[in-house]
Amino acid sequence: RLFHACPLAALVAQTGDGLDANHLPLLREGEGFVGHVARANPVHALLPDGAPVLAIFRAGDAYVSPNWYPSKAETHKAVPTWNY
């Protein structure tokens, strides 16, 4: 469900020039993914077909204020966090 709801992935690959990261929409296809890279993006020339990559998909996230925690009113001790 996450892939369908949030198809924009950070695609990270090791190339001869070092690490390369791009935000690309990816769609599930069988056991893998399919996407499109613009010709102007050099990653299409840096990666051979079938090269291993890391695709990071993110769902919603938000800042959580220390004031949200009930213990903050009692102890005045709480730290902000990130809900991911």
Side-chain angles (χ1 to χ4, degrees):
R1 292 187 317 212
L2 175 64
F3 305 135
H4 292 289
C6 305
L8 185 65
L11 189 79
V12 183
Q14 179 67 48
T15 72
D17 294 341
L19 286 175
D20 189 88
N22 291 272
H23 284 94
L24 301 172
L26 297 176
L27 301 174
R28 192 80 165 140
E29 185 176 88
E31 293 294 314
F33 295 91
V34 62
H36 173 78
V37 177
R39 287 189 192 265
N41 186 333
V43 74
H44 78 87
L46 296 173
L47 290 178
D49 285 348
V53 298
L54 172 66
I56 303 168
F57 293 88
R58 293 187 49 195
D61 59 273
Y63 170 80
V64 179
S65 168
N67 295 328
W68 183 82
Y69 296 96
S71 61
K72 170 72 174 184
E74 298 166 8
T75 66
H76 303 289
K77 294 180 181 178
V79 297
T81 189
W82 204 263
N83 183 12
Y84 52 90

